[in-house]
Every structure is written in C-alpha cells, then in structure tokens.
Amino acid sequence: MIITLADYDAMTEDTCRRHELVDGELVEMPPRYPRHQHALMKLLCQLDEQLPAGLDVLHSFDVLLRDDKWPMMRKPDVVVARVEAFRDDVTRFDAEDVVLVAEVLQEESEDVDLRVKLREYAAAGIPNYWIVAPDDPVSMAAYSLVDGRYALAAGGTGMLDVVDPVPMSLDLDALIRRR
C-alpha cells in the first residue's frame, strides 16, 4: 500500500520518528550506535559555531524530496537550511529550503548513504551533500551539485576546509575524540 504525504503527516511522532518515506513506503531506519551519535553531535556543534546568519542546522529532520504518486521523504543526519524555513508550524523542510545534508555512515546504511541518497539528494536539487565516515581516522567527502549531479568538492581526513555551502574548517578527528 502506498503511503501518501497526508498519511505520513497523520502518523504519530512515535511511528514516523524512526522511519523514512521512500517511494511511498515506510522504511525503518537502522539503529544508531554511540559512535554514530557522538560524531553527529560533534559535527552539529562545529557547524553551529561556523554557520553565518541566515543559515541554521538541525539533526534528523524530515526533508521532502518528492511529493508525487511515489512520495520521498528522507531524514538526513544533518540538515542545514535557510532560517526562513525554521517556522514553529513546520514539521519538515522542502528540498529547496535546504543547502546541505550530511550523513554519518554506519554499516547498516552505508550502501544507501553512498549510492542511493547520493542520487536522491541530487535529483531533489540539494546543493551540497557530505558523507562522514566515523572510522579512525575520520574521513569526509563533500559533494556539490554541478549540472544536476554531485561532484566531489573536497575530501580527506584531519582538518578539512570546505567552501560550500559557506567556507568552513572542520576538525574531523574531533568527531570521535572522547573527553
């Protein structure tokens, strides 16, 4: 049975919190482990400190990629959007409000994050997609949209400078560093 966007909106938060809407079907997201959550939290902090006025960041927030017969709603680990989209009545962002999505890899979702979401986010027109591998050493690939497809804009380990969506320096090793 195809689930429409209205059906998804009518679900309780408990039901849709750990699901994405993929081609009209509810797909359960994999469990999140401490390493993933720690890297995600540290990445969010670095972004929050460096984003300029006009942009803000959230984690695990719905992004509507497509609203048609086969709706597509993903819940990226990191979502950077224009502040105009941050209204109190909003339960999701439209893809055109989003300037960056990022996924922190874990084994259960690696294939989807590296291949499937790369195509989906590009097709939705999201300008930037980052993929973070929280191994030791942590690595990141930063993609920018060029002619409807993602091209590698930056990548590496240690300190990584990116220019999109805004110039920033990221300390990737800090993403797994413990106190």
Side-chain angles (χ1 to χ4, degrees):
M1 177 177 100
I2 298 300
I3 295 173
T4 66
L5 195 55
D7 295 334
Y8 186 85
D9 288 341
M11 292 178 182
T12 65
E13 177 66 20
D14 287 340
T15 301
C16 62
R17 182 181 65 215
R18 297 293 310 144
H19 290 83
E20 293 177 311
L21 187 58
V22 179
D23 293 328
E25 294 186 26
L26 270 186
V27 175
E28 188 172 0
M29 296 170 61
R32 295 186 171 166
Y33 300 105
R35 182 181 202 85
H36 175 275
Q37 292 298 86
H38 189 262
L40 173 58
M41 179 189 71
K42 296 286 187 157
L43 179 60
L44 289 166
C45 290
Q46 288 188 45
L47 286 169
D48 188 55
E49 290 173 358
Q50 297 184 63
L51 286 173
L55 295 176
D56 211 343
V57 63
L58 290 174
H59 72 89
S60 305
F61 197 74
D62 284 335
V63 175
L64 181 62
L65 304 180
R66 193 177 68 232
D67 182 15
D68 57 16
K69 182 179 177 184
W70 310 96
M72 177 78 66
M73 179 107 62
R74 290 291 188 179
K75 200 179 304 279
D77 289 328
V78 175
V79 180
V80 175
R82 294 176 190 84
V83 293
E84 297 83 27
F86 284 76
R87 297 183 317 274
D88 287 340
D89 62 334
V90 168
T91 59
R92 65 174 164 268
F93 292 140
D94 292 328
E96 59 263 15
D97 294 322
V98 176
V99 299
L100 165 69
V101 292
E103 299 288 357
V104 177
L105 294 180
Q106 53 185 32
E107 189 176 333
E108 295 85 354
S109 63
E110 190 171 297
D111 188 56
V112 171
D113 291 344
L114 291 172
R115 291 171 186 72
V116 177
K117 289 182 180 179
L118 191 77
R119 290 188 307 273
E120 291 173 354
Y121 293 151
I126 295 173
N128 300 282
Y129 179 36
W130 295 354
I131 301 172
V132 177
D135 301 317
D136 193 2
V138 177
S139 63
M140 188 177 100
Y143 295 94
S144 293
L145 201 58
V146 177
D147 297 327
R149 298 183 70 161
Y150 284 125
L152 185 64
T157 60
M159 291 299 295
L160 182 64
D161 293 328
V162 296
V163 295
D164 291 316
V166 296
M168 290 182 267
S169 291
L170 302 169
D171 181 356
L172 299 179
D173 293 333
L175 299 185
I176 60 170
R177 190 175 302 132
R178 300 283 184 218
R179 294 178 192 233

